[in-house]
Amino acid sequence: MYNYEELGLVNTKEMFDKAYREGYAVPALNFVTIEQLNGMIDAVIEKRSPVILLVSPNLHRQLGHEMTARLAQVATDRIKNAGLNIPVALHLDHGMTFEQCVAAIEGGFSSVMIDGSKLPFEENIALTKKVAEYAHARNVTVEAELGILKGKEEEGTEGTNESMYTDPVMAVDFIERSGCDSLAISIGTCHGLVKMVPREDGTLPELKYDILQYISDKKPGFPIVLHGCSNISQTYVDMINQHGGHIEKTVGIPDEQVRKAAGLAVCKINIATDGWICGLANTRRILDEEPGAIDSRCFTLKIRPLMKELYLHKIEIMGSGNRA
Ligand code: 13P
């Protein structure tokens, strides 16, 4: 059992209050390697940005309670040792069951997501409420989801389909009845590589800011979360393909659209795929360039500054620099 305060972590309440008031979003950054985690903390320290460490239930299982909690503690220690007081939350991404959320809270997470978005509306409310009661008794914040995002969540779905967007009227009802502290909604972003489908004239569709606007008019101050906001840089896609990989050309969420959402009611923006492809593309490139290498440090040492660069850019787009 870990207490998140002892790990130097905070929940997302004050982070989101400030982000909402000041019109920026907190970067919620997934990591699967130490280089990613170190690169993101380097960026956060340089830019004095609050950050949310995103850990999936799979990674939590893979690393185990101790490793996950201690990695988060190393992040907060590094910030403290730099003489800074930057808020860091450890957040369970896409907890699918009450039990996964309980395991995360016992493991020192300061925030959990319960994703009941595939359940019927009333069941989603009931599950979210159950998690919120358990979490709030331990001062842990809860994110819920309404509306299905394409991508990994909904494999095999092509194109953006109207019925997948979050219904804003239902979202307001959900916020009022579920006890969640923030809500992930679907306004056109999606997980994974395949995101936006260009129109026939080559232009890109806009995110549905009107859904966001409706919710914030009815629930001013309530933090909205956007998943699936990676930009999918063509540079990394090309690098992967040039060095033995094979992934399709695809269009991510343009930076300007993410920036606009961050200035509205969106207080948390999730990024996973951009970090993965930056790490993997450069690993492939370096391994090709150094065929005689026998030590993984030939690439790990070079990946960290590249990760830092990526996350500095994310902080800049979300407007979260100098907020801590
Ligand atoms: P991306 O796939 O766009 O990085 O989104 C990740 C995410 O939302 C994780 O929950």
Side-chain angles (χ1 to χ4, degrees):
M1 289 274 278
Y2 290 92
N3 173 327
Y4 71 78
E5 284 173 0
E6 286 167 10
L7 302 173
L9 300 162
V10 296
N11 69 26
T12 56
K13 176 84 182 89
E14 281 177 27
M15 267 187 191
F16 289 169
D17 285 350
K18 184 166 157 64
Y20 199 102
R21 258 195 331 268
E22 298 183 12
Y24 63 92
V26 180
L29 307 173
N30 166 286
F31 69 93
V32 289
T33 68
I34 301 291
E35 289 66 50
Q36 260 185 298
L37 182 61
N38 271 331
M40 99 187 32
I41 300 306
D42 293 342
V44 155
I45 288 176
E46 185 168 314
K47 287 290 175 190
R48 289 162 167 65
S49 166
V51 69
I52 296 170
L53 308 178
L54 278 189
V55 172
S56 67
N58 278 346
L59 185 73
H60 190 210
R61 237 188 334 267
Q62 182 192 334
L63 295 177
H65 270 350
E66 293 77 13
M67 182 77 84
T68 311
R70 295 301 178 202
L71 283 175
Q73 189 174 30
V74 167
T76 61
D77 279 353
R78 282 194 54 208
I79 291 169
K80 212 166 27 182
N81 294 340
L84 298 170
N85 184 15
I86 293 174
V88 180
L90 177 63
H91 175 82
L92 182 75
D93 198 20
H94 292 287
M96 302 308 284
T97 63
F98 176 72
E99 291 71 24
Q100 282 175 348
C101 293
V102 169
I105 292 168
E106 287 182 347
F109 284 62
S110 58
S111 174
V112 292
M113 174 186 193
I114 177 68
D115 178 358
S117 61
K118 291 192 191 68
L119 298 173
F121 185 70
E122 291 299 331
E123 284 177 40
N124 188 358
I125 289 189
L127 178 61
T128 303
K129 221 167 158 176
K130 186 172 167 191
V131 171
E133 273 161 22
Y134 182 90
H136 290 163
R138 290 151 185 87
N139 209 17
V140 168
T141 38
V142 175
E143 174 184 328
E145 179 170 332
L146 187 68
I148 304 226
L149 270 78
K150 288 186 304 160
K152 213 172 174 188
E153 272 190 277
E154 186 73 344
E155 306 269 9
T157 313
E158 295 288 324
T160 300
N161 179 332
E162 197 72 33
S163 67
M164 289 184 174
Y165 294 124
T166 302
D167 177 329
V169 178
M170 287 171 90
V172 170
D173 189 24
F174 189 94
I175 291 166
E176 287 172 351
R177 291 167 54 209
S178 69
C180 66
D181 302 292
S182 61
L183 184 65
I185 61 168
S186 177
I187 62 168
T189 61
C190 61
H191 293 101
L193 279 178
V194 181
K195 294 190 187 294
M196 288 203 159
V197 181
R199 300 190 189 100
E200 274 181 13
D201 63 3
T203 59
L204 289 178
E206 285 273 310
L207 297 178
K208 297 261 188 194
Y209 301 107
D210 54 329
I211 298 178
L212 208 50
Q213 197 58 54
Y214 180 92
I215 299 171
S216 55
D217 285 349
K218 298 283 178 204
K219 301 270 33 125
F222 187 85
I224 297 298
V225 174
L226 286 191
H227 286 235
C229 286
S230 279
N231 175 266
I232 318 294
S233 154
Q234 198 56 47
T235 307
Y236 300 139
V237 173
D238 289 345
M239 202 182 285
I240 288 173
N241 289 337
Q242 277 158 16
H243 294 280
H246 178 73
I247 55 178
E248 298 296 331
K249 278 204 187 309
T250 155
V251 184
I253 310 299
D255 285 352
E256 314 78 69
Q257 296 202 26
V258 173
R259 197 190 300 271
K260 181 167 173 186
L264 300 170
V266 173
C267 295
K268 168 175 177 277
I269 292 183
N270 286 15
I271 303 288
T273 310
D274 277 348
W276 298 344
I277 62 173
C278 168
L280 195 70
N282 283 293
T283 303
R284 282 184 179 278
R285 174 183 59 78
I286 296 164
L287 287 176
D288 264 5
E289 287 167 3
E290 301 187 32
I294 56 162
D295 177 347
S296 305
R297 282 172 297 179
C298 75
F299 61 87
T300 55
L301 292 175
K302 292 178 186 157
I303 297 285
R304 176 172 170 172
L306 297 169
M307 287 292 177
K308 176 183 176 188
E309 207 180 304
L310 172 76
Y311 295 125
L312 286 175
H313 182 61
K314 296 298 176 193
I315 290 170
E316 143 107 45
I317 298 164
M318 296 183 204
S320 64
N322 292 318
R323 306 285 185 171

